Amino acid sequence: MKLSRRLMMAAALSTALFAGNAYAANVKIALVVKSLGNGFFDAAAKGAEKAAKELGDVDVIYTGPTKATAEAQIEVINTLIAQKVDAIAISANDGDALVPVLKKAMERGITVISWDSGVAAAGRQMHLNPSDTGLIGETIIKLAADYLPDGGEVAILSAASTATNQNAWIEAAKKILPEKFPKIKLVATVYGDDDSAKSTDEAKGLLKTYPNLKAIIAPTTVGVVAAAQVVTDAGLIGKVNVTGLALPSEFKKFIDNGSSQAVALWNPIDLGYSAIYLAHDIAVKKMEAKPGAKLSIGSVGEVTLDDTNSAAMAPPFTFDKKNIEEFSKIY
Ligand code: RAM
């Protein structure tokens, strides 16, 4: 009896060693998103699972609140701290409000990184941007300007008013507007909170308040769908062009029906993959997040951290009539 138990233990041990796992439990990494039910984050979660499979010793906890608010994310993070996860990779609804709770997580030995929408430097070890912020800001204006040779009024329908990523892109867009797109007049910026109903109301409000509006720019995959649906339902196809950042699988129908000429985005699967990969390698101390560090991200490649420990991935990609069909099958 004793012998066979010892044999069984030896067998279990060699299996663990063979798996490269040396007794240790898997690395538990929480992929915390702005809100659940958002197709963009579901695509990122697919990438997260892909990374977990390749790394072989990761359990991904895909989680987030139902509403895209900082308060709701704080609750989620407190639960993850109590659960003793090894790492948190978060897309933040507010870069400052989350700092205290994320500091608490780091004090307890949890690795914290932000991705997509950043946390202020004090609340994370590194931040991964999907692309260069200035380039995204310019892209969202250009997408509208390309179809407005005579210029005209445009408005922005954003996500939450506290969202780090959208606020940075809008700021960058406003900066280059006068110099590069002097004929484009930005008349308003409104916030749909990455909530379909609120985004719909805000888009309707824009059309009512600005009868000469030529384009709605929504740098959010939730807002852009809502705006295109509103323009379609209002019979304004051809009068108001909807553009911004859109997930091809959700947005193809609006390129098809002409309510939008073109939109842009990056690969959300690669983004989620990278977030898990980096959180893992920092958590297991394979690499250290410090200015100038070159961090390798499996099949995605490599990024270099700047002096705020932030890095950016690839340039945004434009989707229009010619290619949206192909990309709609991927994400
Ligand atoms: C929404 C979210 C996300 C943003 C994309 C483009 O899904 O606001 O943070 O990166 O749009």
Side-chain angles (χ1 to χ4, degrees), residues 312-329:
M313 293 174 65
F317 201 76
T318 300
F319 310 106
D320 57 19
K321 267 201 191 75
K322 291 187 281 326
N323 63 2
I324 196 146
E325 159 102 55
E326 179 194 339
F327 283 92
S328 69
K329 292 174 190 147

Side-chain angles (χ1 to χ4, degrees), residues 34 38-41 91 116-117 130 159 163 165-166 169 194 219-222 245-246 265-266 271:
K34 286 177 169 179
N38 175 338
F40 174 85
F41 292 122
S91 167
D116 181 55
S117 186
N165 53 348
Q166 274 92 9
W169 302 332
D194 271 350
T220 136
T221 58
V222 178
L245 303 173
L265 198 69
W266 36 85
L271 188 57

